[in-house]
Amino acid sequence: MALRRRSLFAALAGLPLLTTKGHAITPGADSALIVVDVQNCFTPGGSLAVKDGDAVVPVINALSRHFANVVLTQDWHTPDHVSFASQHQGQQPFGTVSLPYGTQVLWPDHCVMGTEGAALHPALSIPHAQLVIRKGYHRGVDSYSAFLEADRTTRTGLDGYLNSRGIRKLYVAGLATDFCVAWTALDARRLGFEATVIEDACRAIDLNGSLDKAWAEMAAAGVGRIRSQSIG
Ligand SMILES: [Zn+2]
């Protein structure tokens, strides 16, 4: 009875029901961990390093042990990619340009396909990961999202893969919270998946308030927000 009363209280309070180990979530066969862009270019020493970006690596390695299904993503650009400031005369990194599909933030050259900068971080250790999905490989279109390119119509195929495997619940981690992680989680919701971002397994770029904006958009879209200790 005491347990039932506590469960009811927790449910009413909107709190997760904790097990005796203090974990609320045990991922099952219908769940996947999506590890976004943990690549050399986005970690310290890289050309578009996210502050403390390498701090996510041990957290993600530990988290991955709780998931039977893990998908990795890689930002993967042509050397002359449209998202690079170097391709636009008179433009600097972190400015913006207008492209046929909308406003594009310009970045330093990063994650050029086949280069060391585009490689996964060497300390990332998830040997049981089943799929590596590359994105942003069309020269004229960026792709923060692991599902849909920035033209909002070209698909990467990830939703088809997940659907065909019966995976419905996605837990998103990686770099950067306010760009590729957020866009991936938002598109997951649009495509009918459950989506939860594991905040301490992510780090942000935070460009002109982009981090607060991203969390607000994710909350409005029904993206969950948890910390890694909730999974076990
Ligand atoms: Zn990129």
Side-chain angles (χ1 to χ4, degrees):
M1 190 60 195
L3 179 63
R4 282 184 61 193
R5 202 171 285 148
R6 194 184 65 177
S7 300
L8 180 64
F9 176 76
L12 287 172
L15 298 169
L17 295 172
L18 298 180
T19 67
T20 49
K21 281 161 58 190
H23 302 303
I25 299 161
T26 301
D30 63 345
S31 298
L33 178 65
I34 312 290
V35 179
V36 176
D37 296 5
V38 182
Q39 293 166 269
N40 288 328
C41 273
F42 295 131
T43 46
S47 63
L48 182 43
V50 178
K51 188 170 181 291
D52 296 329
D54 54 344
V56 304
V57 173
V59 180
I60 290 172
N61 285 344
L63 266 174
S64 73
R65 304 298 177 260
H66 300 291
F67 285 85
N69 303 310
V70 182
V71 173
L72 312 176
T73 77
Q74 280 180 298
D75 213 32
W76 199 254
H77 297 310
T78 60
D80 57 351
H81 195 256
V82 73
S83 74
F84 296 170
S86 62
Q87 299 301 307
H88 303 267
Q89 201 166 16
Q91 295 291 334
Q92 296 297 317
F94 311 109
T96 58
V97 288
S98 229
L99 294 181
Y101 56 76
T103 302
Q104 172 70 48
V105 178
L106 296 176
W107 305 106
D109 291 18
H110 65 280
C111 295
V112 172
M113 47 180 65
T115 64
E116 192 55 30
L120 294 167
H121 190 281
L124 190 70
S125 178
I126 314 180
H128 65 292
Q130 296 143 345
L131 177 72
V132 178
I133 192 132
R134 290 170 170 168
K135 59 187 180 61
Y137 47 75
H138 292 125
R139 192 198 69 80
V141 189
D142 205 2
S143 190
Y144 298 149
S145 164
F147 290 98
L148 283 170
E149 296 189 1
D151 62 5
R152 305 280 79 206
T153 52
T154 308
R155 296 202 180 198
T156 65
L158 180 57
D159 62 320
Y161 171 84
L162 295 169
N163 281 325
S164 69
R165 294 198 54 213
I167 294 170
R168 307 300 313 153
K169 298 176 183 172
L170 307 182
Y171 294 86
V172 189
L175 304 170
T177 319
D178 41 345
F179 288 92
C180 295
V181 169
W183 283 53
T184 295
L186 288 166
D187 278 349
R189 295 292 298 133
R190 289 186 188 105
L191 292 165
F193 298 93
E194 286 183 31
T196 302
V197 170
I198 307 169
E199 62 178 326
D200 56 317
C202 302
R203 289 295 183 280
I205 294 174
D206 203 10
L207 185 64
N208 304 321
S210 57
L211 182 58
D212 285 346
K213 183 165 173 279
W215 280 124
E217 286 176 1
M218 288 193 283
V223 175
R225 178 175 178 173
I226 62 169
R227 294 185 64 80
S228 56
Q229 62 261 36
S230 298
I231 292 179

